[in-house]
Amino acid sequence: MAIKYLMDDIRDRLISIVIQEWPLRLSDMEQRDAIIDDGIAEFGVFSRIEWPDYLVPEPASAIALAEHPECNITSVLPAAYYNILRCDPNKSWEATLQKHCSAGDTRFVITRNGGKPARWECLSASSLMKILRVQSFIEDASRRHLSHRGTLVQEILGCNSRSRSCYHTWRRILSKSHYGVTVYIHRLDFFGQLRDIERRLVKANMCHNCHPKYSDKIAMVKIRVWRELEGICCSRLG
């Protein structure tokens, strides 16, 4: 309505709210997601009676507004599209919001298997098609970088440990970074998997040559995948 009646001030305010709600950079998104990661790691679940918008705003309506031709807020699209991959297509935002909560009950729950609701009805056919493209891209990124022949699996040369064991330690870190969740959910949270690898790397016993180089490899893959994700999410709708 704001756009229809040229109420520019209201439109600009809505745009401002969306931009404030969503992380615009990979580092901002990772900082938010890490808070939820820590809660799940400690308690096995992240749950609230009221949804914490400051951590995870609702992605579908943000995508719909951002892709409206009169708004064109492309800066929020990478984080919003990446976030909606981990939402449950069987859970409606409005239905979840209206759920009656008794004492000690929770309305919004995220586990290692995902489970966030979304306003799916807000999305256009083009947006749903883009979700499929993003999903395919993330799955492909996982294969390119984390499969047994992936870029992250390659050995760093010049190991200075006495037993030359750093590469074996690295392979163990990679093999354990699976959260204990279904493969389907696991492969859609590519950046979450890399955060898990980083946490394990911090505690690993490696030589002064290998440790920073493996850390740099993770950082380089993150940047590369995020830039490619931006290219998909910010492209014009077909």
Side-chain angles (χ1 to χ4, degrees):
M1 294 292 288
I3 296 170
K4 181 177 179 181
Y5 293 105
L6 301 179
M7 298 169 65
D8 292 339
D9 290 343
I10 296 179
R11 183 197 61 189
D12 292 345
R13 177 57 179 158
L14 288 173
I15 292 174
S16 175
I17 290 172
V18 171
I19 292 175
Q20 290 174 16
E21 282 185 339
W22 283 94
L24 307 183
R25 299 175 300 179
L26 174 60
S27 57
D28 297 331
M29 185 182 77
E30 293 235 277
Q31 187 175 19
R32 292 190 185 190
D33 284 353
I35 295 174
I36 298 177
D37 288 349
D38 292 343
I40 293 175
E42 184 173 357
F43 303 108
V45 65
F46 181 89
S47 61
R48 296 288 188 273
I49 293 178
E50 299 300 333
W51 190 243
D53 286 334
Y54 63 96
L55 286 180
V56 186
E58 195 284 311
S61 57
I63 290 171
L65 182 64
E67 292 186 331
H68 192 286
E70 295 294 334
C71 295
N72 194 32
I73 322 171
T74 57
S75 57
V76 307
L77 290 175
Y81 269 108
Y82 185 76
N83 185 273
I84 206 168
L85 290 184
R86 289 165 288 157
C87 292
D88 188 338
N90 297 308
K91 288 187 178 179
S92 162
W93 179 273
E94 301 303 337
T96 304
L97 197 65
Q98 294 170 8
K99 174 185 174 183
H100 175 71
C101 291
S102 57
D105 197 4
T106 55
R107 182 177 284 118
F108 292 97
V109 177
I110 304 176
T111 68
R112 287 182 173 88
N113 291 324
K116 295 177 285 187
R119 289 189 172 102
W120 297 100
E121 66 280 1
C122 292
L123 295 170
S124 66
S126 296
S127 297
L128 290 170
M129 182 60 69
K130 190 180 285 187
I131 290 174
L132 294 178
R133 289 181 58 201
V134 172
Q135 176 179 322
S136 177
F137 165 73
I138 292 297
E139 291 172 349
D140 180 65
S142 183
R143 286 190 293 269
R144 283 187 287 128
H145 299 293
L146 293 169
S147 69
H148 68 284
R149 293 183 179 179
T151 59
L152 282 176
V153 184
Q154 297 171 9
E155 184 176 4
I156 294 293
L157 300 179
C159 179
N160 292 324
S161 66
R162 290 184 177 180
S163 60
R164 299 293 188 269
S165 60
C166 289
Y167 182 60
H168 298 293
T169 300
W170 177 241
R171 291 297 298 264
R172 285 197 299 272
I173 290 173
L174 294 178
S175 66
K176 291 179 180 179
S177 63
H178 293 288
Y179 296 122
V181 303
T182 62
V183 173
Y184 177 75
I185 296 294
H186 171 63
R187 70 183 182 219
L188 293 184
D189 193 4
F190 179 76
F191 294 112
Q193 187 174 358
L194 293 184
R195 284 196 305 276
D196 185 64
I197 292 172
E198 284 180 316
R199 284 192 290 267
R200 295 176 187 276
L201 181 61
V202 168
K203 301 176 183 178
N205 184 18
M206 288 188 179
C207 73
H208 66 274
N209 176 67
C210 293
H211 197 286
K213 290 183 178 179
Y214 282 121
S215 181
D216 288 345
K217 286 181 71 171
I218 297 173
M220 290 173 62
V221 168
K222 280 185 178 183
I223 293 171
R224 185 180 309 154
V225 172
W226 179 256
R227 287 176 178 171
E228 292 172 345
L229 180 65
E230 286 180 319
I232 297 172
C233 296
C234 299
S235 61
R236 290 184 178 272
L237 296 174

